[in-house]
Amino acid sequence: MSSLRVKRLSSKKKRPQTGNAVAETLQMLGLEAYSTKQLDSASVLNITTWVLENKQPLELKDLPNAFLRRLWLLSEDARSSCCQPQVDPVNSYGKLPEENLCSSEEKMQRAINPLDLITSVFLSADTFLQQEITVRMMQCKFAVPLVLPNADPEKPSQFLLWPSRGVVGQWKSHSMEQNSRIQDSNLASTPMPIVSCVKLGRCSISKSQVLNYVLKGPKSSSDTFIHRDMDGGQVPRRIANGLVEIGWYLPTGVIDIDVYPSPFVICNLRGDGSNHESCLKLLCQASSALIILCGDFKEKEIHLLKYCKEMASKLILIDVQSTERELTSITGCVGQNLEEYLGLPNGAVIRGSTFSEEEVAKNFCEILQHWAPDNLKPVTLEAAAKLALDLGLIMDEGSVCKKAMATVEEVLKGLDAGSVEFQQEQLPLQGNLWSKLGDLDREESKLRKLGTEPEPQLLKEKKDILAELSSYKIKPAMKIFIDALLTKDKIERNYFLTWLKLRLHLIQTEKINRSQESGPQKPKHLENHESEPVISIDSVSFCTDSLSQEEAKVEQENTQRENVQCGEKVQPNLPYAEESITDVSSTTKQRLYCKESFENSNAFNPQGLQPKTYTLSIEHFFREMGLIFEFTHMSKGQNVMRLPNLTADLLLSGVPLELMDGDSVNIPMCWLGCVFAELKRCLRQAQLRTRVLTVLGNHYARNAEVLSGLFGVKLPEGWRGTNKGMYLVVLNLPDDLRKEFDFDVLFLTDVEGLGFVSREIKKDTLIQDNIMATVAVGLSDVVLQNISPPAGNEFETTFNIMVNALLCAKERSAFPICQILTQDEGINCVLQASQLRRVCKILQTQEKSDINNLHALNPNSTTFVRGPWPNICLPEKVEKQYSEDVLKLKEKLFGALKRSANKSEASDFIGRLCEVWEVVKSDLFSHSLQNIDIALVFALLCIEFSQWENSLLENIEDWLMGATKKIFLTKALDATAQNVTLNELKKEAGEEVKSEVNKLKSKAESYMTTEEILKANSKRFWPILQNNIGNLQERVTEEVMQKLETINESHCSFNQIKNFEKSLETEQEFKLLALVETSKSTNLLLQDNVLEEEFEIVWKKTLSSFDFRPSETDDISARVRNVLRQNLISRDLHKHMQKLDAVGQIATSTFQICDDHFGYRSRMKHMFEDNNKQQKLEAQRVASEIIEEYKQFTANKCSLAADFSDTYITELLEMIENGLKEKTLEIRSAFEVDLKIYLCNAACQEFQKLHDRFAKDSELLTYISENKNKYEAEFIYQFRKRDQCYRVAKAFISMVIKPFVLEYINQSLGVDIANEIKSKAQQYQSPHAFQRYILEDLIKEDCFERFVEYLVSYEDFRLRKIQETVVAHLSDTTILSRTKQQRLGEIIGKIAAAISQTEECTGGVLSDTKPLLERVCLILRRDVNLDVEKELLNGPLFSITTEWGRFVKCLIELLATMRLELGKRFNQNVDVLGVLADLPVQPQDILLQTVRGCDKRCPLCKAPCEEEKIGHEVHSSLLHRPKNLLPHDLSSPPHLSCPDTSKDAYSKFMICNNLPFQDPNWRNGSDDLNNKANIYWRYVLVRFNDKFAAEFKQEQATVPEDWNQITMEEALDSLNTVFSRKESS
């Protein structure tokens, strides 16, 4: 059923893509050339090796190189696919950084999806480069391609098995059986559960982000799978759909860290699974579990889900369809849920439509944790590859690969019997005979160098061994090996070498695992470390039989050593574990293991072909190949003679060459000589400049990985148990870098296996290590001393080896440049690096001309790099700093290579090797290589010497501090005094250095007698110390002299700078004062461009007037002549060179035109016209124009604040040439040359003055020029602050102080005016006086209207009368001005006092003005008792930071100005009514209160009450008014009636006769109504009788006849009588 369904599903063909997206993408990335000839590893070396910075890609074509370069640096941003936009330096100047950033749309146009980038690189790379990329992506914890879409969309995808074969992983499971074992396996052949994840339809969540959370947890910052939130992840994919990625989860064994207890694989299909059915089928059948994220449930998706359900072992469906879509809309699923419809078990469907990525991943993790490890079947990638082939996918391992793999199996035939037996049978040359031959050869060399003939027995033994080795017949394995290498198909050869290396490593891993499973008995305290056997690999993998007992012991010992190094701990459930580990140190364990292995090695091969290594590697085959040539090349076999050429070709292909067999401590010199001869021939260069860089470190330091990380090369990994020896790889420099680096070929040498056995157990091994390290250092131009975390006694062992090698190199005058790499910042690594640096410093050649000395003395020669090669068993995540550290180390190494002297050409490299080897073999050093203690003694001597040197330098530094004080006490710019002081100090410095050096020498002599080894080697060490002491004295003396000169010059320059800044400050102050005054007067805000122009005026004036120190005699004419000479040469005017002598001489007054300036034909042409007069005039005019330009040019240059530069003459010559080019004159070159010489000669004189002025103070000039912008900014800032200070002060005065002053002046002005009026006008003394005054004034005025107003509107009349009095008083006197001036002076004094009090609190420092101004207001409120509107100070206007003293000055000035303005205004004629209106207290109101009296009026005649007693109850009036003086309605109120009690005439008119009867609160003003008290009103009635009648519209009153006789004088007398009587009473 399933097969039918598959057929039906696959029968639907995909619509072909429009255009070729792959070709377009490759072209976009610049990879189109690699579609035919694929990118290989050699090409990548040029991309990654020689780059010293991680440049950002600028365009899409830079992305592949950037990806490879970053990946080789193991950078976490290697997959970034965005380009850095190119910023136009002109248009972007002055913009903020964020303004130069691209928008998101522009960024999308400059990016490609990272998956498309990776797919493109894999499509362009050959299978071997794919393997290298995969290995490095695995190191970075990146997902790697497993199924690659085909470049042709019509063809099936390609399954990539070969790249993953190179991936080796380490992990530690949580199961109790495997708890003590770290598993190290090839991930392609190791069975692991495969969990695949695919997507059907559209998904709202990121599948890749979910998988990242599943692998690492939501809190992890690392991303295994690329997702949409990554850099470039939002860009739509073009060619990566259909890509299947694979990522591994490898537990560390730490429960708190690990997410899952066992390893597994996650596969991720990119794109919609319904569009890539072949990949979906593969994942269904190959996976242990299949996870499907389904966003659509259409017919096609339902059929695919059914297929997956039937084919997959385990299926989990995550429903991520939109929540708006109902489940019943699923085709064919009405009335059923998904589980029922698809036949899935309960819990197999996760409803994730509303979940986030983290929530989906959480459910996913719970399922995996439940399944792992027992419920998921393990699968190998090899088995998956077979299944892919059955499903129609293309397999990357073609026939060539299969053939090479089969050849490897033929080579390794018989290996299942054991690696020891295989070596004895198939690789016999590298046994004890080869080792014994090396021993005899070294012994013979020693004897011959000592002048002693070797014993016959020694020579016979050597001859017998050579005869036996020369009789060697090639073994089958080596024959197949050599034939495979000699094949013409280099791809097959690469497959063969790679697979052979992988197979041997796989076999080694299997042996270790098997030895851990069933090895020899372990100590009792390690019994519980037994672990379960590793899961057996698939049948495709190759297995071997169990090891022999001896072999197993060695492997077991190696494993235990690694466990000790990794710091593994015994499980807590062992009661004696902690005690055992405490008692038995790791160093002791290693010694025991080493002793056992060496004892067992003696019984391996009784025939004398005993191998000394137990782990077979590809290096054994290459070593055997070299030895075959070494001993059998005389037979001239055809294949044998081809071996050097083959090896040279392999060298250029990146395959390492073994220079020295470290196990036998021997060098096949003949073999190497032929190889290097072939290498020279292959390079096809007559002379090759070479450099040799060596990495030296112990066997745990992973030298091979260090070189791989730095240069991308492949070397034997000694920590994995490969051969001990010295290996070499060749790097050919690109043509464009050879000139820069000054060499053509770089030889990288790696010393593997140092310090593997401790000194106490196997002393010969340490001697062999000494020999190997000495040869390596002797060959090297640069040595990188690689320091790893030490293990036990290996710290001292490796250190001794390194120091011993350096001592030997020093003795042979072949000391290299040393760099130190530390892989750990622990105390031991830091100490060892420090000690090595001191040793290198002492031994480094210390000559003045040797620039390497500076490097040796540089403490920065030590670099810390914590790379992915630390001495741990489980790999950790690569640190972010690693990439930068590697680039920094490479930069130092390349710098050292550039500085190093070329020691040998390529053709002579073997000669140098022979020379070094002869010296080492003969052991002609001052101390024997067998003396392993002298290195440590010398190192301690170096440490002591370094401390003595530091003490000397500290003492000299202290002396320099005192000398500095003396120099600075000397009067600056006094040349005589300075010279005297400087000479005295120089002399004193020499004596001081000499004294300190003598102390150091005494310490050294004393120390050399403390130990016997030092005494015995004093003749060797003392010259080294003397050389260092002498160089130290010379160096320190020279440095001290230079420092004294520098300090003296600094003293002068410092004072010159102070003087200049003082002059500039003075000029600026004048200018600032002027500008501030201008700003005050114009009230305009000056712009920055105006201020910049004003500063430029100040700057030029200061420079022109400043007294620069005159320069010493320095003639610039030679420089001018040199520039002019180069100009004439460039213009091919050599014949005029003799004229250059005129430059620098006294110039003639004018430039003279002569006949030589014109050609013969030109002279003849114009001879008969005017004797060439017109032609000469034209030439003179042209010369004059150029001379005028020259004058302007020199004036401009001399106005600059800069010393003379040669470019001035270059510009002048170009100006002359351009001037002549524009003219059409028939002149010869002599005219041009003479004009140039004339102007250059004149320029010499002008520019000499410029140079004389500025040369001595060139540093000062440079300093002030560099700081001109700062001075200018300070100038503008000072103006802005002063202008702001003035404006804020002005605002405070105008907005706060001025209203306050006016309020204070007006506050009591009304009272003062009223008091003065009262003092001068008697009518305002009392109400009676005011009433008398009014009545007298009315009768004198004799105005009817005034009487009517008085009688009818008494209150208004009274107020008007008072106001008229006030106005008249103010108009006729100066009281207003006088009072205001007085009040103004008072308040100004109080304000000034308040400001002064505030100034005392600040001390004049920079302050915020707002709180200080608020304090002024508070003081004024307290002293004046008047509120100040300080609310106006709120806001930013008054909150500025300024110098309070300057601000106070502005306030006082503005306060004085305000006083003058107000005083002037007060003295001017003013509007009295306007002034009165502004007064808070009106004087008329005060006067009214004085004369007001009682407000009651007579109810009948409306006469005012004239009782002055306060609180009176009975009212009275002196002058009641007769009838007819008021309107009828006012004089006769209806509620009052006045009975007519008297019939006389008076009574008829006086209606108030009986007032008390009418109103008890009133009484008559006089007892006698007939007296003359009311004569006043009688006169008024008679005087205006007719007018009153007419006014009040009533009949005219008939008055008694005698009333008509009353005169004004009588009326006034009666008024006086009445008021006088009242006052007297």
Side-chain angles (χ1 to χ4, degrees), residues 691-696 776-785 806 809 814-820 836 840-841 843-845 850-858 861 892-903 912:
R691 295 292 185 274
V692 181
L693 170 64
T694 297
V695 177
L696 201 62
V777 173
L779 278 175
S780 304
D781 298 295
V782 177
V783 173
L784 178 62
Q785 301 174 69
L806 293 174
F815 199 83
I817 298 177
C818 295
Q819 282 283 344
I820 301 174
L836 278 176
C840 293
K841 182 179 177 182
L843 294 178
Q844 185 76 47
T845 303
D850 189 2
I851 58 174
N852 296 335
N853 177 35
L854 299 177
H855 175 76
L857 300 179
N858 186 4
S861 58
K892 292 181 180 180
L893 291 176
F894 284 150
L897 289 169
K898 291 178 185 178
R899 293 191 303 270
S900 63
N902 189 10
K903 293 183 178 179
R912 178 170 177 77

Side-chain angles (χ1 to χ4, degrees), residues 124-191:
S124 305
D126 64 14
T127 187
F128 305 104
L129 179 57
Q130 287 177 352
Q131 189 177 81
E132 292 188 46
I133 294 174
T134 300
V135 171
R136 283 174 167 78
M137 291 182 72
M138 176 62 183
Q139 283 183 283
C140 295
K141 305 295 188 293
F142 296 161
V144 297
L146 181 66
V147 178
L148 191 67
N150 202 301
D152 187 350
E154 299 299 327
K155 294 183 179 181
S157 301
Q158 185 181 35
F159 190 94
L160 303 180
L161 178 60
W162 183 258
S164 58
R165 287 193 185 275
V167 180
V168 177
Q170 291 179 325
W171 69 91
K172 190 175 182 181
S173 298
H174 292 190
S175 61
M176 292 301 295
E177 296 83 358
Q178 299 176 350
N179 193 39
S180 64
R181 181 154 50 89
I182 293 176
Q183 301 178 71
D184 184 352
S185 297
N186 181 279
L187 297 182
S189 58
T190 302

Side-chain angles (χ1 to χ4, degrees), residues 66 104 281 303 323 510 594 637 915 966 996 1152 1452 1503:
S104 58
K281 296 173 188 176
H303 285 303
T323 55
E510 292 175 1
C594 294
E915 178 186 348
K966 291 181 180 179
E996 291 295 330
Q1152 302 294 330
I1452 297 300

